[in-house]
Amino acid sequence: MHDSLFQPIQLGAITAPNRILMAPCTRTRAQDDGVPSAMMATYYAQRAGAGLIISEAVGISREGLGTARAPGIWTAEQVEGWKPVTDAVHEAGGRIVCQLWHMGRVVHPWFLGGEPPVSASATRLEDGMAHTPAGRFPYEPARPLRIDEMARVVEDYALAARGAREAGFDGVQLHAANGYLIDQFLRSSTNLRDDDYGGPAENRVRLLREVLQGLVAEWDAGHVSVRLSPNGDSQGADDHDPATLFAHAAQVVQDAGAAFLELRQPGPEGSYGSTDVPQQDAVIRKIYKGPLVLNSDYTAEAADADVASGRCDAVSFGRPYLSNPDLAERIRTGAAWAPNRGAPKSWYYPSEEGYTDYPTLAEETAGAAA
Ligand SMILES: Cc1cc2nc3c(=O)[nH]c(=O)nc-3n(C[C@H](O)[C@H](O)[C@H](O)COP(=O)(O)O)c2cc1C
């Protein structure tokens, strides 16, 4: 079933045996110091049937990480801690890239010894509360990054890519979506600067370009991919003219020769974020010539149709992969998908519950027969 999803695809340096990708999903199962835990190796290896696993977002620096028990990749211990994870995925026949994350203004000062977080401008995330080990607090205003700090931020990303390579990842994905640091620079609602990094869209894509150039110089373009969220508001990051902005962003990704571009683009009926702002993939596809991966609320049928029609080259699945470790096999055989149990709380439990305890179809069948 769904033959077009089972054609192999070249994603830069990576050969994916199918077009069913695991979307990046934060699961907060690392240790307090951001070192991956043993259960993370089990979890990712269980999902090795995906054409490619995009890891959960991984902090590139102390400054960039404000989620308790999310992993990092800026210390030697963290890099070491990822090795059993990438080894386990490879032993199970899979491939995994590391999503590089700087949260910008979404980091609460609790994580920064009381210092304000950094962003494009002195804005504050108005919606929601920051979860810290000391409790829940409103977000606080960010400190705008100075021009003389930009090279250091670019370097932090490059060093994280070096760590990912050393840790055995098959590549990196730059997290430029969902209202985090790069997206805060891209969008007009969060970027109020009047220097070379602000103002017209050409300037707001500057950080994206510099970080991508740094990543490509550190590894190579075949190992560097990008995620954008080009339609609608993401954690207060919004744009007055997304069509123009994301055409520029797509050109930057094209110029970098990135391995693939993934778009998270919910529709009006989106069940994890929704928006009436039109999806931008048709415009972006004309500019970025490499493999395009689409995401959000996909069924197997819709994914197969979009790949068959050439709208995209592959599809990534987030929530379905959390509760169906063998999602690709279920799609191939037309089997039903298990729902996420106890979501959204269970997404972030600190235990194996709701994490490594979802059976494959074969295990389910064996259990029912026993
Ligand atoms: C528990 C959870 C954690 C997520 N963490 C991340 C993340 O770390 N990085 C990211 O880019 N998107 C993240 N997302 C968004 C997903 O990658 C995806 O865009 C979203 O779930 C919609 O796709 P789906 O309909 O296939 O689930 C997360 C989503 C969920 C449900």
Side-chain angles (χ1 to χ4, degrees):
M1 276 177 103
H2 308 307
D3 289 348
S4 52
L5 295 176
F6 291 92
Q7 305 304 313
I9 182 170
Q10 199 64 33
L11 300 169
I14 299 166
T15 307
N18 64 57
R19 293 163 186 241
I20 298 159
L21 275 46
M22 181 175 173
C25 285
T26 290
R27 303 304 308 277
T28 59
R29 261 70 171 195
Q31 301 172 36
D32 288 338
D33 51 4
V35 175
S37 61
M39 67 175 132
M40 288 168 64
T42 306
Y43 167 77
Y44 281 114
Q46 287 173 339
R47 286 153 181 80
L52 175 66
I53 296 169
I54 303 165
S55 81
E56 64 202 287
V58 179
I60 62 155
S61 59
R62 176 63 283 164
E63 172 189 89
L65 187 59
T67 297
R69 288 178 290 100
I73 195 146
W74 72 88
T75 71
E77 292 73 25
Q78 292 164 350
V79 170
E80 222 29 59
W82 277 109
K83 289 180 181 171
V85 178
T86 61
D87 280 349
V89 170
H90 293 149
E91 275 161 30
R95 298 138 296 278
I96 181 168
V97 297
C98 179
Q99 191 187 47
L100 301 180
W101 198 26
H102 189 311
M103 298 169 68
R105 68 177 190 162
V106 188
V107 180
H108 188 272
W110 187 92
F111 294 95
L112 305 173
E115 294 294 314
V118 299
S119 184
S121 302
T123 65
R124 183 172 84 89
L125 175 52
E126 305 285 343
D127 288 343
M129 302 279 273
H131 293 249
T132 77
R136 299 176 60 182
F137 304 107
Y139 291 97
E140 293 200 8
R143 171 178 77 74
L145 277 164
R146 295 186 313 272
I147 287 269
D148 67 3
E149 291 177 283
M150 302 310 284
R152 192 265 304 156
V153 172
V154 170
E155 178 72 4
D156 285 347
Y157 276 101
L159 289 175
R162 186 179 300 178
R165 187 177 187 177
E166 198 187 317
F169 280 99
D170 298 291
V172 291
Q173 182 186 65
L174 176 61
H175 193 347
N178 300 355
Y180 295 110
L181 183 70
I182 307 267
D183 210 18
Q184 291 160 27
F185 271 80
L186 289 178
R187 315 271 200 127
S188 56
S189 77
T190 43
N191 185 338
L192 313 173
R193 301 173 77 100
D194 55 11
D195 60 10
D196 286 353
Y197 291 86
E202 292 91 316
N203 281 1
R204 283 182 276 124
V205 299
R206 189 177 305 273
L207 181 62
L208 173 67
R209 180 185 300 115
E210 290 179 351
V211 170
L212 269 179
Q213 286 171 344
L215 295 177
V216 169
E218 177 59 43
W219 201 331
D220 59 49
H223 291 91
V224 175
S225 61
V226 182
R227 180 176 236 219
L228 295 170
S229 49
N231 67 319
D233 171 287
S234 273
Q235 300 198 86
D238 207 352
D239 203 77
H240 67 283
D241 181 5
T244 300
L245 170 64
F246 285 99
H248 278 93
Q251 189 62 52
V252 168
V253 179
Q254 169 65 17
D255 293 345
F260 67 92
L261 172 59
E262 185 197 15
L263 304 181
R264 177 190 173 194
Q265 44 171 22
E269 311 296 328
S271 57
Y272 188 80
S274 65
T275 175
D276 290 328
V277 177
Q279 298 179 330
Q280 304 293 326
D281 60 291
V283 177
I284 288 173
R285 191 138 171 84
K286 290 198 183 102
I287 299 166
Y288 173 68
K289 308 292 187 201
L292 187 68
V293 180
L294 294 185
N295 167 257
S296 256
D297 289 291
Y298 266 99
T299 60
E301 288 67 32
D304 187 51
D306 278 357
V307 171
S309 74
R311 181 179 182 183
C312 62
D313 300 293
V315 167
S316 64
F317 296 85
R319 289 160 296 172
Y321 247 118
L322 307 187
S323 47
N324 297 276
D326 56 343
L327 184 69
E329 184 60 11
R330 287 183 192 234
I331 291 176
R332 198 181 63 74
T333 58
W337 297 1
N340 290 190
R341 289 190 306 259
K345 264 195 166 171
S346 63
W347 290 337
Y348 307 116
Y349 287 156
S351 69
E352 300 199 359
E353 192 187 340
Y355 190 57
T356 50
D357 58 355
Y358 284 108
T360 61
L361 196 62
E363 286 163 351
E364 231 172 74
T365 315

